[in-house]
Amino acid sequence: MIYLLKEEISYAYRYDSGELYNYRVYEYDDNGNTIKYTEYNADDTIEFYRLYEYNSLGQEIKATTYNADDTIDYYEMYQYYENGSLQQQEKYNGNGTPNYIRKYDEEENVIEYISYSYNRDGSLVSYQHTLCEYYDNGKTKQNTTYYYNADDSLNYYYIINYTYLGEIMAISQGKSTRSPSGARNVAN
């Protein structure tokens, strides 16, 4: 007979004094998937907690992190290829604005990455859009990153080319007034 763990606690101690720093409690469903992770301070107050959701195949499709006051700090969503490998990962701030979007090929190499920067009042300041290409040996062939202002105007770009063995071959950068095809800002 197999018994599945329903709850696990791990402790973290201060290196210098040996005092309890914090502890974590993990809760599991009947399939052994983590459904809740809670981090407590040494005084037993909650620092934050995370709830997990899974699809029928047992793949994690959403993880939501809450602050101690039960407000959403951020959440992440996941999509998968039919072969089970990760296809896309998205992270959103508690107010629903995107933090980043990563797309993967079926070997789980990052092929596209978009990240967003906001000012203190939550307005978009800029974003960057990176496209990645790979050789048939799995090594990076080229990374091209475009840096945009909030109004979608291209600020500058940066291109790194690699040899077949993965060594940097050439770096180019520049400023352009033309936006490359395929770049987009999903925050607006």
Side-chain angles (χ1 to χ4, degrees), residues 8 11-12 19 25 33 55 67 72 105 112 114 147 157 172:
E8 177 183 10
Y11 298 92
E19 292 180 80
V25 176
N33 296 317
N55 63 19
N67 298 306
I72 295 175
D105 62 18
E112 184 175 9
I114 305 170
Y147 296 87
Y157 64 89
S172 58

Side-chain angles (χ1 to χ4, degrees), residues 98-138:
N99 185 291
Y100 66 77
I101 298 170
R102 279 191 196 118
K103 294 183 179 181
Y104 302 86
D105 62 18
E106 291 193 47
E107 286 77 40
E108 294 193 10
N109 294 308
V110 175
I111 56 173
E112 184 175 9
Y113 177 73
I114 305 170
S115 64
Y116 302 88
S117 298
Y118 302 90
N119 61 19
R120 290 188 188 273
D121 72 1
S123 297
L124 181 68
V125 174
S126 62
Y127 66 98
Q128 72 180 46
H129 185 187
T130 301
L131 301 170
C132 307
E133 297 176 43
Y134 298 89
Y135 288 107
D136 58 3
N137 67 357

Side-chain angles (χ1 to χ4, degrees), residues 36-175:
K36 187 175 184 181
Y37 160 82
T38 307
E39 187 161 310
Y40 292 89
N41 297 308
D43 65 0
D44 294 327
T45 58
I46 292 176
E47 179 71 24
F48 68 90
Y49 63 96
R50 185 173 297 134
L51 300 178
Y52 299 87
E53 298 175 33
Y54 299 88
N55 63 19
S56 60
L57 300 174
Q59 297 166 315
E60 183 181 330
I61 57 171
K62 188 173 184 181
T64 305
T65 300
Y66 293 86
N67 298 306
D69 65 1
D70 294 327
T71 59
I72 295 175
D73 185 23
Y74 65 90
Y75 60 95
E76 296 173 291
M77 299 187 333
Y78 308 92
Q79 297 173 19
Y80 300 89
Y81 287 103
E82 285 185 22
N83 70 3
S85 63
L86 184 62
Q87 180 178 19
Q88 185 164 307
Q89 176 185 14
E90 303 172 21
K91 181 178 180 181
Y92 294 89
N93 300 313
N95 63 6
T97 57
N99 185 291
Y100 66 77
I101 298 170
R102 279 191 196 118
K103 294 183 179 181
Y104 302 86
D105 62 18
E106 291 193 47
E107 286 77 40
E108 294 193 10
N109 294 308
V110 175
I111 56 173
E112 184 175 9
Y113 177 73
I114 305 170
S115 64
Y116 302 88
S117 298
Y118 302 90
N119 61 19
R120 290 188 188 273
D121 72 1
S123 297
L124 181 68
V125 174
S126 62
Y127 66 98
Q128 72 180 46
H129 185 187
T130 301
L131 301 170
C132 307
E133 297 176 43
Y134 298 89
Y135 288 107
D136 58 3
N137 67 357
K139 300 278 188 185
T140 302
K141 181 177 185 179
Q142 182 179 73
N143 283 341
T144 305
T145 303
Y146 302 98
Y147 296 87
Y148 291 93
N149 299 309
D151 64 1
D152 291 332
S153 62
L154 181 61
N155 191 7
Y156 65 97
Y157 64 89
Y158 202 82
I159 301 171
I160 304 174
N161 290 297
Y162 298 86
T163 67
Y164 190 75
L165 298 175
E167 298 170 349
I168 293 177
M169 179 171 54
I171 298 174
S172 58
Q173 59 185 11
K175 188 168 178 70

